[in-house]
Amino acid sequence: MKRVFIWLFLVFLLSGWSGTLAGEESTLQSSSYNIDGWKIRYASPSYGISVMLLNVTADGLDETVAVPGFDFRILNGMNVSKRGGFYTGYEVGATIYVMSESDSFYVNDLNGTGGNIHLSDFFAGSVYIMQKYGYRLDLGVKAGGLSIGTEVGIGVQVGGGSYDVYDEAESDEDGSGETDNPFGMLMELSLEGTLRIGQNSRLFAGLGTDLSNPMFDAVSGSSSSNLDIEQAPIRPFLRAGFSMNY
């Protein structure tokens, strides 16, 4: 599964690189402005952290494991205003989640007598494309200013991953999990604060969450008949980047 994700990630990078070259060539052949006060295109790369939440349940157990991840994406759009207002575009990106080992949890019926387990070797990732819609309220003058805004995204994702469940008493593996739903819908909601430099450049930070169908919703091979590990549908994120109209 890791190899499949790596190939998908390479395709994502190559497609983004070729799309950038095509966009630059198109820009050189067109005017800088569509109508007064509006730019024809804009580009906005961003980078940040994301958290995948796993709900671990069994008899007498109800815990949440937070798996950290790295998020990187680029948003491209057309007909964006040089100051505030509505904008739209499409965004492609990828997120990778890695965790070597979680905290320990006690499971009552593990091996018939009870015992401690933990999750280990967790690796997951997804690539996605979304249509984005946003609005910024601009506060400032022509030379610069601050703005606040909100953004909504709707799209699709494909991803995969795996993890192991480790029995601490037996010092051995006690179950594992793999991707149950590699394809799914994706929705995003976020709030953004922006520092505008001139009319065409911005530095921004955003806080929000992705909403999607869980990639993981079951664990197999465990000696506990009641152990269940399911991914929560929300994935909070914090990211920052820059935007340039051109």
Side-chain angles (χ1 to χ4, degrees), residues 45-225:
S46 62
Y47 312 89
I49 55 175
S50 178
V51 178
M52 178 183 289
L53 302 175
L54 300 175
N55 298 320
V56 183
T57 58
D59 283 345
L61 174 66
D62 187 1
E63 298 287 345
T64 299
V65 176
V67 183
F70 178 63
D71 179 285
F72 46 101
R73 54 182 75 184
I74 183 167
L75 171 64
N76 285 279
M78 298 185 67
N79 297 330
V80 62
S81 64
K82 293 192 290 181
R83 298 284 293 274
F86 289 98
Y87 62 93
T88 184
Y90 68 92
E91 186 173 67
V92 292
T95 308
I96 298 174
Y97 299 93
V98 179
M99 180 181 66
S100 60
E101 186 176 305
S102 74
D103 292 336
S104 297
F105 308 105
Y106 184 80
V107 179
N108 291 333
D109 66 339
L110 189 70
N111 297 318
T113 59
N116 290 323
I117 64 167
H118 65 257
L119 308 186
S120 65
D121 299 327
F122 186 98
F123 177 87
S126 64
V127 293
Y128 43 85
I129 182 169
M130 287 186 284
Q131 181 70 39
K132 304 297 287 284
Y133 306 89
Y135 178 80
R136 292 190 183 105
L137 175 63
D138 190 85
L139 306 171
V141 297
K142 184 176 181 180
L146 301 175
S147 63
I148 55 175
T150 184
E151 197 171 79
V152 176
I154 302 174
V156 294
Q157 70 170 12
V158 57
S162 64
Y163 63 86
D164 295 324
V165 179
Y166 195 78
D167 182 344
E168 297 181 358
E170 299 292 332
S171 298
D172 196 9
E173 183 179 319
D174 186 77
S176 62
E178 293 186 348
T179 307
D180 300 291
N181 303 299
F183 300 97
M185 300 295 294
L186 179 64
M187 183 174 181
E188 180 180 295
L189 303 170
S190 65
L191 298 175
E192 173 188 291
T194 303
L195 171 64
R196 179 171 53 81
I197 305 170
Q199 298 185 78
N200 297 318
S201 300
R202 300 174 186 271
L203 300 175
F204 68 87
L207 174 67
T209 185
D210 290 322
L211 303 165
S212 66
N213 62 303
M215 289 189 289
F216 303 94
D217 61 11
V219 59
S220 60
S222 175
S223 59
S224 168
S225 60

